Structures are given as C-alpha cells and as structure tokens.
C-alpha cells in the first residue's frame, strides 16, 4: 500500500515540479485532439443537415381536376391508394383544393397582390405529395407516375438537387472521418513524442533510480500516471473547448433556417468519452515508449556482437 | 563477499576495458582500486553493479553469480549495494531528505520507518539541518555526503565508490574518507576506485592496482604506488 501511495505521490509531485514540460505535453494533447474533435463535430453537422434535407416531401404530383376531361371522379383517391402501395414510397398524402388554398395563403399571406390575383381559389390544382423511402428512387417513381398522363398534369421534384447534396455530403462525410483519423493518429504520435521528450529530459533521473535499486515498474508507474493525467487533462480541455465552440456556433446561427448548427449533447457525451480514453491511452503509450529505452540501457544489457569481438582475445 | 573470476569486458567496437581480472574481497574489507584513467577501475565497479554485463568470466556477490542474473532481478542486487559516484548522482528535483528516503521507498518501507531512518543517517553524515534543501543548494562535499547517506541508509553489506573525492578539495575529501572509514568499521565492505594518492597513502588499506585492464598489484596495507615507483 505504501508503494502505491508513494508512486501516486511521486507522479503528482513530478507534475508540479516539471510544470513547464507538463504544460507543453498537455497543450500538445489539447491542440491535436481539439483539431480531431472539431473535424468530427463538423462531420456530425454535415450528417445532421444531410438527414434534414433528405427528409420531407420529395415529389409533388399535380393532378388534373377530377370529373373533367375524362378524369373519373374517384381517380385521385385511386391513384393515392396505389401510390401508397409502392415500396419506393415511404408516405403519400392528398392535398385537395381547400388545403391547397390554405397553403397558398400561408405562402403569400404577406403579399396582398398575390392574394388578389387569385380570384378563384378553386383554380388551384390538387396534388399528391410523396415522401420516398430512398431519395435515389425518385426516377423510378417518376417513371411509374408517367403511366397516368391523363390524370397527372405535372410532376415537381427536388429529388435531383437533394441527390446532389447527398453525394456532396457523402464526400464531406468521408473527408471528415478521414481527417479525424489522420488528426487522431497525428495526435497519438505528437502526444507520445512530447512525453518521450519530457522523459528524455529526465533520463538521468531514471538511471539514478535504477542505480538505487528501483524496479522497472517502480520507475514506470509514476511516469505512466503522469502521462495518463497529461493525456486526460489535454483531452478534457479539447472536448470542453469544442463543446463551448459548438454552443456558441449554434447560438450565433439561430436565425439561419437553411442549416442546423445544433450539435446534440449526446454526440459530445459519446465522443467526449472516446476522446478522453484516447488521450489517456496516448499519454500512457507515450510514457511507455519513452521510458523503455532508458530502462533497457540501465539494465546492463549485453550488446550483440561483443562476444564475437572477444574471440581473438 | 565479492569474487571475480577471470573477468573480461570488451566494449562495442572492440575496446578491451578489463582483461582476465580475478579478485577475492572478503566481508568487511576496504579495498582501493587504483590506476590511471582508462585502466579499468570504473568498469570493474560498473560490472560489480551489473550496470554493464561481463563479456567473459564470472562475478559473485554475496555468493550469487550476478553475471547470469536475469534483468528483473538486477534491482534486488542493487538494493544490497550502496553506490557513491564522483558526480554524486542525486535527483535534482528531490530534497536531501527525499533523495535519501528514495533508497528506502524502492524497498517498500513504510513512512513510519523511513522518517527516523533517514534522520539517523543524515545525522551520521552531518546534514540533519539541511534535510529540506535541494542538491543545487549544497556544496560539492555536502552533495557527496548526501550521496553517501543514500548509499548507506538501508545498511547494505557492500559500498561501491567510484572516485567519490574526484570533485572535491583535499580538506573535504578527508571528511568524506572519514565517513567511509566509519561505515567500513560497521562491517560494510567498501570498494573504492580512486587516483587520489594522498588518500590511499593515508588510509593504508588493501590496494589493487590496474593498468590497461589488467591487475598488476594486489597489496594489503598498500600505498598508491610501490616504493620502487616513488
């Protein structure tokens, strides 16, 4: 027990006494993990917005009035029933003339000229609004609808644009994930290297500890604890900084309706834990790598080839 | 206590530091290893401490062959040997008290034991009043006394000293030698590498002289140089 307490005390005392080096290591963790976490957060924003754009009505089927030009009275309802059976369709609903007029008022309520121009509300066409199961299926659904030329006046679709946005966001997603991985790996190397340098500065200390009879683990544990603490503190700062930045961004963009800049707290919680573990692991790994050489050197290892050099002696 | 049998050490690159050295050092003896720089004194100390591995031969410490000791057992060997070096090798970030206590911490001694034991040994080396100072705040002689206190605090049966007075003025050196002599009188075996003529001549102890890695003289109650050499 006294050894565990000693090693913990050692780690804390060393952190305090080597404050400059420790600050450097914490900053390295903070900056590199902050960048990686930011990339991941941006990626999350792209994902959220892509989903938002992909949801909603994808096709509007403008219909010819029933009971005129040979369109049977129940044709609208029959078409809606049929469309709803199609597996490409997630949802479909009918907008009659009354609903169309309400929608018109919603859209142009602030524009008296437009309201005045529409002298006869029944002139507005009825329509079927279709939400697709998969945005990429819009061409197939359009093709199937084209089988009803008598009933259908026109088909409006935002699907092509949405598909283009989806393609762009897929690329952005991949880039974001790739960037996060690259920054994550760089973070690991940078952290490990910074801690290795910190240990290099204290290599004499390690050799003295060995001389006094300290075992490798006795020397290692305080260094590992230091690395762990540095990694955790740096990662916690990075997560906190990105969370604060995310909050501010969402606050500043409240008026913008086109894009959603609100990253859910669940994301920060889930990935925050991952980044904390990553920072801790990088700190421990850096310490292990940094120490191994000096511990080996102090053990009186027999270099290979010396026996061969001795042969002529 | 220490026995070397035909010990040879060849460094990487082919430099032969020590060649076929055989020595027997009984318990409680005070032995000077003398010779010019590069004669192999420090290498012998490092070999006895397993800081270096022998190339050929065998070294026994307290009856155990340390040349075949696995790396994980080396710390146990070092805990039974106190070491003192020319450059003191103190931990700069630790106080005098903490430096000395460290040798007991690695043994896992409880704090209740460490405190009194460190105070006692600091009293022995005359530094009780400087326990809270850092090494940089001490003179060379004081730093060496801290180093001796650390080496002796767990009462090891062996003390290996590599030029402990090499960085000190003659008056301070005398103080250090008195301390080592006092430790030797408690039954501790002391092996000291030095090229300080005055000290060796004054102490009149066993002298092992090395030249180019070979033992050329092993004399009880000897002087630094043989009478003929003077």
């Amino acid at each position: 027990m006294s050894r565990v307490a000693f090693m913990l005390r050692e780690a804390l005392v060393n952190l305090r006494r080597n404050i400059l080096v420790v600050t450097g290591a914490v900053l390295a963790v903070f900056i590199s993990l902050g960048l990686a976490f930011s990339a991941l957060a941006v990626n999350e924003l792209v994902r959220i917005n892509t989903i938002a754009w992909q949801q909603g009505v994808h096709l509007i089927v403008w219909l010819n009035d029933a009971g005129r030009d040979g369109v049977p009275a129940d044709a609208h309802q029959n078409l809606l029933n049929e469309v709803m059976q199609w597996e490409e369709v997630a949802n479909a609903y009918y907008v009659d003339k009354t609903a169309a007029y309400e929608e018109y008022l919603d859209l142009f309520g602030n524009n008296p000229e437009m309201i005045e121009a529409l002298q006869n509300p029944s002139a507005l066409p009825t329509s079927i609004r279709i939400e697709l199961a998969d945005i990429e299926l819009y061409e197939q659904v359009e093709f199937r609808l084209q089988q009803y030329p008598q009933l259908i006046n026109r088909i409006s679709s935002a699907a092509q644009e949405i598909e283009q946005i989806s393609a762009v966001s897929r690329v952005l997603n991949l880039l974001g994930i790739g960037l996060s991985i690259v920054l994550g790996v760089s973070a690991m190397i940078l952290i490990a290297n910074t801690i290795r340098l910190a240990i290099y500065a204290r290599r004499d200390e390690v050799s003295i500890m060995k001389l006094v009879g300290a075992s490798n683990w006795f020397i290692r544990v305080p260094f590992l604890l230091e690395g762990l603490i540095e990694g955790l503190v740096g990662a916690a700062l990075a997560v906190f900084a990105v969370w604060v930045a995310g909050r501010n961004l969402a606050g500043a963009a409240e008026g913008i309706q086109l894009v959603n800049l609100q990253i859910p707290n669940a994301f920060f919680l889930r990935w925050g834990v991952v980044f904390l573990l990553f920072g801790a692991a990088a700190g421990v790994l850096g310490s292990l790598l940094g120490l191994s050489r000096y511990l080996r050197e102090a053990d009186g290892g027999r270099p290979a080839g010396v026996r061969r050099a001795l042969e002529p002696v | 206590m220490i026995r070397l049998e035909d010990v040879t050490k060849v460094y990487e690159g082919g430099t032969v530091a020590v060649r076929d050295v055989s020595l027997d050092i009984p318990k409680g003896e005070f032995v000077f290893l003398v010779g010019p720089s590069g004669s192999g004194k420090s290498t012998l100390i490092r070999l006895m401490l397993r800081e270096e591995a022998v190339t050929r031969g065998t070294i026994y410490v307290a009856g155990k062959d340390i040349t075949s000791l696995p790396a994980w057992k080396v710390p146990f060997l070092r805990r039974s040997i106190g070491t003192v070096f020319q450059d003191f090798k103190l931990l700069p970030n630790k106080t005098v008290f903490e430096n000395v206590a460290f040798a007991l911490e690695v043994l896992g001694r409880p704090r209740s034991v460490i405190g009194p034991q460190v105070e006692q040994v600091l009293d022995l080396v005359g530094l009780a009043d400087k326990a809270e100072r850092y090494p940089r705040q001490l003179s060379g002689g004081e730093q060496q006394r801290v180093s001796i206190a650390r080496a002796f605090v767990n009462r090891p049966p062996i003390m290996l000293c590599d030029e402990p007075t090499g960085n000190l003025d003659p008056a301070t050196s005398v103080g250090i030698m008195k301390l080592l002599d006092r430790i030797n009188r408690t039954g501790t075996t002391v092996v000291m590498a030095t090229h300080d003529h005055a000290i060796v001549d004054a102490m009149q102890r066993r002298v092992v002289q090395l030249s180019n890695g070979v033992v050329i003289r092993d004399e009880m109650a000897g002087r630094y140089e043989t009478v003929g050499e003077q």
Side-chain angles (χ1 to χ4, degrees):
Chain A
M1 189 58 211
S2 70
R3 277 187 172 209
V4 175
F6 172 76
M7 289 190 273
L8 193 62
R9 211 170 49 240
E10 275 289 280
L12 294 175
V13 168
N14 284 338
L15 282 172
R16 187 164 52 82
R17 287 182 180 165
N18 300 299
I19 193 71
L20 209 65
V21 179
V22 170
T23 308
V26 169
L27 277 178
V29 180
F30 167 63
I31 292 167
S32 47
L33 287 190
L35 283 172
F37 199 38
S38 303
L40 208 65
V42 170
N43 190 49
E44 176 69 1
L45 279 179
V46 170
R47 198 183 65 81
I48 289 170
N49 283 288
T50 308
I51 289 171
W53 292 328
Q54 283 174 344
Q55 281 168 347
V57 174
H58 302 126
L59 289 171
I60 302 174
V61 185
W62 304 103
L63 301 167
N64 291 323
D65 288 347
R68 282 189 358 205
D69 302 328
V71 176
D74 56 354
H76 289 180
Q77 191 56 47
N78 289 343
L79 179 63
L80 177 67
N81 292 341
E82 194 184 334
V83 164
M84 285 180 79
Q85 306 288 318
W86 297 348
E87 58 184 18
E88 300 95 325
V89 175
N91 190 25
Y93 58 92
Y94 182 68
V95 177
D96 62 13
K97 287 184 179 291
T98 315
Y101 183 60
E102 279 168 13
E103 198 178 54
Y104 186 87
L105 289 178
D106 264 356
L107 283 169
F108 303 110
N110 297 332
N111 194 338
E113 284 173 15
M114 291 297 285
I115 304 287
E116 232 170 87
L118 185 71
Q119 290 182 344
N120 179 14
S122 67
L124 289 170
T126 54
S127 59
I128 291 174
R129 311 286 168 95
I130 298 173
E131 290 170 24
L132 296 170
D134 181 346
I135 196 81
E136 289 175 11
L137 300 172
Y138 79 99
E139 279 179 319
Q140 289 175 38
V141 176
E142 266 190 29
F143 179 76
R144 292 180 82 162
L145 288 167
Q146 278 160 12
Q147 311 308 309
Y148 305 90
Q150 199 185 6
L151 182 59
I152 295 169
N153 179 285
R154 190 165 50 89
I155 300 170
S156 303
S157 166
Q160 206 171 347
E161 289 75 15
I162 292 170
E163 201 184 29
Q164 281 167 354
I165 290 170
S166 295
V168 170
S169 68
R170 262 199 301 277
V171 173
L172 285 177
N173 247 311
L174 277 175
L175 274 177
I177 290 170
L179 196 64
S180 301
I181 291 170
V182 169
L183 286 172
V185 172
S186 319
M188 178 72 100
I189 293 169
L190 185 64
I191 295 161
N193 223 25
T194 308
I195 293 174
R196 277 183 72 173
L197 280 177
I199 291 172
Y200 177 78
R202 289 163 64 188
R203 63 195 184 284
D204 288 344
E205 210 174 310
V206 173
S207 72
I208 294 169
M209 289 176 179
K210 293 285 292 185
L211 273 179
V212 178
S215 67
N216 282 354
W217 277 108
F218 193 82
I219 297 169
R220 217 177 258 145
V221 170
F223 277 101
L224 293 187
L225 284 174
E226 284 177 57
L228 179 82
I229 292 169
E230 286 165 4
L232 273 177
V233 171
L237 285 175
V239 171
F240 181 70
V242 177
W243 179 75
V244 168
R247 293 278 103 174
N248 285 331
L249 189 71
E254 251 172 11
I256 304 170
Q257 287 179 351
L258 190 64
V259 284
N260 176 12
L261 294 179
Q262 190 90 38
I263 302 172
N265 276 335
F267 167 86
F268 283 109
L269 202 66
R270 189 173 64 241
W271 283 102
V273 170
V274 172
F275 270 74
L276 283 180
L277 291 176
F278 188 86
V284 168
L285 195 74
S287 299
L288 269 179
L289 290 175
L291 266 181
S292 59
R293 189 177 152 198
Y294 305 114
L295 289 177
R296 248 196 336 269
E297 274 178 4
D299 271 337
R302 188 185 304 228
V306 168
R307 274 201 174 279
R308 279 195 302 279
L310 178 69
E311 296 310 326
V313 176
Chain B
M1 181 56 71
I2 303 173
R3 200 164 87 240
L4 285 79
E5 288 179 355
D6 301 319
V7 171
T8 298
K9 173 67 186 176
V10 183
Y11 284 110
E12 254 176 312
T15 308
V16 182
V18 166
R19 188 187 301 236
D20 296 325
V21 169
S22 293
L23 275 178
D24 202 347
I25 302 170
K27 185 176 183 302
E29 193 158 44
F30 198 123
V31 182
F32 285 114
L33 299 177
V34 301
S37 296
S39 59
K41 306 186 297 289
S42 295
T43 299
L44 271 187
I45 298 274
R46 290 167 69 86
L47 290 173
M48 288 184 231
L49 200 54
R50 247 306 284 276
E51 254 200 289
E52 296 283 354
V54 294
T55 311
R56 197 170 61 197
T58 316
I59 299 175
Y60 296 93
V61 172
K64 281 187 184 159
D65 175 6
I66 66 158
T67 50
S68 58
L69 209 59
W72 67 272
K73 278 190 177 173
V74 172
F76 296 99
L77 164 76
R78 290 180 186 163
R79 287 173 205 173
S80 65
I81 301 174
T83 48
V84 182
F85 293 90
Q86 183 175 3
D87 58 355
F88 322 130
K89 292 202 190 296
L90 297 174
L91 295 165
N93 286 334
K94 288 188 187 295
T95 62
V96 166
F97 185 95
E98 288 168 339
N99 262 287
V100 178
F102 189 78
L104 296 173
E105 305 272 12
V106 300
L107 298 174
R109 297 274 157 81
R111 292 183 100 181
S112 57
V113 171
I114 292 173
Q117 226 170 317
V118 173
E119 281 167 21
Q120 199 185 358
V121 80
L122 285 179
D123 211 29
L124 174 80
V125 300
L127 285 174
D129 57 332
K130 293 183 175 170
E132 294 312 312
R133 300 247 180 119
Y134 286 91
R136 63 178 176 278
Q137 297 170 318
L138 302 177
S139 70
E142 286 171 333
Q143 288 190 53
Q144 195 58 292
R145 280 193 275 157
V146 177
S147 166
I148 291 171
R150 182 183 60 189
F152 190 59
V153 70
N154 65 342
R155 304 289 191 270
I158 300 166
M159 289 266 278
L160 298 179
C161 312
D162 191 2
E163 310 268 9
T165 57
N167 275 345
L168 308 174
D169 61 67
T172 313
S173 299
V174 169
I176 294 297
M177 288 317 297
K178 278 185 180 166
L179 202 52
L180 289 175
D181 186 44
R182 214 169 140 189
I183 286 169
N184 175 240
R185 285 175 200 283
T186 64
T188 304
T189 307
V190 178
V191 179
M192 174 172 157
T194 185
H195 47 218
D196 190 324
H197 292 228
I199 282 172
V200 178
D201 292 349
M203 295 281 287
Q204 296 278 303
R205 300 299 181 97
R206 181 179 170 188
V207 174
V208 174
Q209 188 174 358
L210 290 152
S211 176
N212 294 322
V214 178
V215 174
I216 56 167
R217 179 165 61 105
D218 187 350
E219 188 183 5
M220 302 305 288
R223 296 171 67 83
Y224 192 94
E225 284 160 320
T226 51
V227 178
E229 280 177 290
Q230 287 173 321

